[in-house]
Each structure stands twice: as C-alpha cells, then as structure tokens.
Amino acid sequence: MNAFSTDFGRSLSLTPERVVREGVDGEIGDLMAEAAASGKDTAVRGAGRSCNTQTLATGTVLDNSRDDAEPRFTGEGHLVEAPSGITWLALEKWLNGHGRANPVLPSYLNLTVGGTLSIGGFGHGSLRSGLQIDQVEEIELVDGTGRSRTCSREENSELFRFALGGLGQVGFIRTAVLRTVPYRAVTPVSRIPHTGISDLAEFMKGVADNPVVSGYFGMYDRASWYSQIALAAEAAEAVESGEPGTVLPAPDYSLLLHQEVDQHLLPVLQDESRVNLWADYVFDEAGFEGITKTLEELTRESPFADNLISLYFLVIKRPEAATPFVFAPSLDTPVQYGIGVFTTIETSDSHAVAETRRVLRELLAACAEAKGRPYLYGSHELDAELLEGFYGADALRRLESLRAEHALTRFNPRAFGGVRP
C-alpha cells in the first residue's frame, strides 16, 4: 500500500483505503460505480509520475499500470488502439516491430498512455505534430455511473475536449485510438551548443520555419546549454554542410533518448529522501521571451543554483484545425514554446523546499500574466483566481456541471492541486 501513498513529487503522503485493478478486482464500470458510491475521493494512478499529489486519494486508487496490456491495429490508416495502462515504451517497441511509430513521444517513456493523454503530452516531435492528444482519434471514457462512452471529435465531442488534457476530470480513459507514422530506423541528429539561455532562445525562434528540422528539444543540464535537432532524412546532407554542429545517425532515436533520460532519472526516482518539485509551462513568443529573462536570473541564484536538475525547452506547432481541448497546455497561436523546470531537494532541507516552492509560485504567476498555461501534472499551487485566469469561468463552471452529471465529483479531485473553482 505504501507505494500508492505518495507520488514522484514526494511532497505529501495520502494513504488510500483500497487499491483496485481492472480485471483483478472487477470490471472497470463496476469499480468506477463502487468508488463513486463510496462518497470518498478516488484517483487513477498509472506510473505515479505526478509531482503535486494529483494521483493520490484517501478513498480508492485505481491502479492502471498494466504490464500485460496489448495494443492492436484497428480501422484504416494504421490506427492503433492502446489500453491506457500500457507504457509508451511498450507501445513504441510494439509499433516499431510492425513498421510504425508514434508521431510524438515524451523523452521518458516509462509513462502510461492514459497518464500523458490526460495532461496533453509533448516531446521532440511536437515541433511538427503538436501534442500527443492531437494524435488521438477516439477514446473510451468510463464515468462514475459505470457507463462507457466512445468519445471523438464527432461523437460526445464535448467530453472528448474536456477529457484529453484535463487530468481525469470527466472520467477514466480506458483505451485510446491513436494515429501512427512510418517507423524511422535511423534519424540524423545534430547537437548545437549555446552560450546561455538567450542564445538558445534566439535559436529556437527559427526552428519551426526550418523545413529540414523534423524534431527539436533544448536543454540546460547544469553543465551546458544546447539544442538537439532531428532532421528529415532527405535533408541530412544539406544540413551537414549548412548548419552548425555535426550530424550523426541515431538508431531508434526515441528509444535512445529514453535510455539517456532514464539514466539521469533513475537515481531521482529511487531516492525516497528527496522532494521533486517539477513544473512545465507553455507560452507564445512574447511570453517565452519574458520568461527566459526571468529564468536567466533564477539559474544564478539560490535555490535554483543549488537544486536545479535541468531546464527543458520545446517548440510546439500544432496541426491546422487542431481540437481546442479545454484544459490542455496549449494556446491559440501557430507556434508555442514549452519550458520544463526540474528541481530535486533533500527532504530534510526544509528551507530549500520552501524557497523553491516560493519561486515556483512566482513562475506560475508570471505564466498567468504572460497568458501562458501550466502543464497540470506539475508542482503548481493553483487557486480559484489563477484557474479562472488560465481557463475562464465558463469552462470551469461547465466542468463542474459535467462532473456532477456523470457522478465524478470525488473523482481525481486533486487535478488542480485540490483546488476547485
């Protein structure tokens, strides 16, 4: 039971009364109805990578991590139906074995499909394909009455828009049908060094308009600043002579990135003596320019100077006519910029924990002022005013109506840090 009492952030412990699994403790509809009827808080937990107790509950925790989950191709156009409890690592390996791949993957793949779809999902492929939820054709959504619905852009479209990116506020995502792309066994990659955040940010501004770049992420790893670009296969020769940096072939690029990140993350994931305060934000170009100046100062000062693991940067260009998901970390602008702030602190260093929380509150306020959006899994201290500023009063009222209508008022209640509008 202890494994379900805290999450990756380790900022709080909440022991559930019971932990249940679909297929072991009953059918998912029955489990959802029983949890709702209990009148106690219920949460869905996949890999447990939330950073602010979003996957914890004192009532029922639905353990959705499924090592035995099996995807299958469905319909036309190489669509894949994936159980929400499968990891992206398992899904990508399965797809690669069938000559296909996911258009967008996070750099760390030991996350469940349902978990990242419930918050949006970003990665180096976001430069050309947007969010992971932009790849979803339909989902099976189960509410607190036990009823299952197929939701898509055409069918139950409102629930579709509230569910994806909404951190489990309108039901349990049981399966998702996803678009796939042809598998690239080898990707030409170039790593470009930068002198600092200003240099990196200036480089990022031109990435989306460069047709030879197929994927992008930027990084500050406390030792260096750099951009890493993936190249269209046919452009590798031209870029080799015209772009800075050396172009190298990267076999199984997404899996290679996962291995690199896993090596860095593993000590943090296993060290129970540390609090992890991580947060991600999305901005338009003006907001991005302002926040990079703020971060430039913060990286030189305590607590970030002492406890920062890394800063992670993405360029996001969503497909034309992308679905307007209600709570997704996305903006109505052609190109968006993502920033991840990752810190880890000894639990015993209460002063550093408090100071880091203070700085993250300031960053969240800056995000709101710049008309950006937070990524809902992170260490965000939201309040009613911030929620209304990010999502609008009408959307929040409609959310609460949908939750009441579908017997979900106690389901995943900590999505906004426990704050309700």
Side-chain angles (χ1 to χ4, degrees), residues 28-369:
I28 187 62
D30 295 334
L31 294 175
M32 288 289 289
E34 290 168 9
S38 74
K40 298 178 180 178
D41 287 354
T42 300
V44 178
R45 181 188 180 99
R49 296 294 179 256
S50 62
C51 289
N52 201 35
T53 74
Q54 294 95 329
T55 57
L56 306 184
T58 53
T60 299
V61 169
L62 175 56
D63 177 12
N64 191 41
S65 179
R66 301 297 298 265
D67 293 335
D68 60 343
E70 295 185 4
R72 67 182 184 92
F73 287 114
T74 183
E76 300 178 355
H78 302 285
L79 298 176
V80 63
E81 181 181 275
S84 61
I86 195 173
T87 65
W88 290 104
L89 180 61
L91 177 59
E92 181 68 3
K93 286 183 174 180
W94 186 89
L95 285 172
N96 293 171
H98 291 81
R100 306 298 294 180
N102 287 286
V104 183
L105 283 169
S107 54
Y108 180 67
L109 300 178
N110 279 330
L111 307 169
T112 59
V113 167
T116 51
L117 294 183
S118 73
I119 53 176
F122 289 120
H124 62 90
S126 293
L127 173 65
R128 297 298 172 213
S129 299
L131 287 71
Q132 287 184 284
I133 54 178
D134 289 327
Q135 319 313 315
V136 180
E137 286 294 304
E138 68 178 39
I139 56 174
E140 179 188 355
L141 194 67
V142 185
D143 69 13
T145 71
R147 179 178 175 181
S148 176
R149 291 177 175 83
T150 297
C151 302
S152 67
R153 291 167 184 81
E154 294 78 31
E155 185 177 0
N156 295 308
S157 59
E158 183 180 44
L159 287 173
F160 186 74
R161 293 188 300 106
F162 272 81
L164 294 173
L167 203 56
Q169 292 293 279
V170 293
F172 168 65
I173 300 172
R174 186 170 183 267
T175 62
V177 176
L178 308 168
R179 290 191 288 273
T180 66
V181 294
Y183 166 56
R184 293 180 70 184
V186 177
T187 302
V189 172
S190 180
R191 181 170 292 193
I192 300 160
H194 297 294
T195 57
I197 191 170
S198 297
D199 183 28
L200 184 150
E202 188 62 30
F203 178 85
M204 287 174 66
K205 292 178 184 178
V207 167
D209 292 330
N210 189 339
V212 303
V213 180
S214 63
Y216 174 86
F217 73 88
M219 181 71 72
Y220 168 60
D221 60 9
R222 294 184 63 88
S224 60
W225 298 87
Y226 63 87
S227 291
Q228 186 154 306
I229 59 174
L231 308 171
E234 62 276 11
E237 185 176 343
V239 172
E240 205 164 351
S241 60
E243 289 283 346
T246 301
V247 176
L248 298 173
D252 292 319
Y253 184 49
S254 292
L255 301 183
L256 180 65
L257 284 179
H258 166 74
Q259 291 170 0
E260 291 181 358
V261 174
D262 190 41
Q263 290 176 357
H264 292 290
L265 264 186
L266 195 60
V268 178
L269 292 171
Q270 294 180 338
D271 190 349
E272 297 183 1
S273 70
R274 306 190 74 84
V275 174
N276 300 310
L277 300 176
W278 295 19
D280 296 77
Y281 316 86
V282 172
F283 300 91
D284 63 12
E285 185 171 331
F288 176 69
E289 185 173 341
I291 206 70
T292 53
K293 293 177 181 177
T294 300
L295 284 170
E296 188 170 25
E297 298 176 4
L298 291 175
T299 55
R300 300 193 189 108
E301 304 170 354
S302 181
F304 278 8
D306 305 317
N307 301 304
L308 192 68
I309 294 180
S310 64
L311 298 174
Y312 184 60
F313 301 84
L314 292 172
V315 181
I316 304 119
K317 193 170 184 179
R318 299 185 68 196
E320 291 186 14
T323 300
F325 298 109
V326 181
F327 296 106
S330 61
L331 307 171
D332 186 18
T333 183
V335 179
Q336 301 161 52
Y337 300 89
I339 298 180
V341 179
F342 306 143
T343 70
T344 183
I345 310 154
E346 286 287 347
T347 306
S348 58
D349 193 346
S350 58
H351 176 72
V353 171
E355 281 296 288
T356 301
R357 289 189 182 280
R358 176 187 60 78
V359 173
L360 290 176
R361 284 195 297 271
E362 292 176 1
L363 284 176
L364 185 61
C367 178
E369 186 174 351

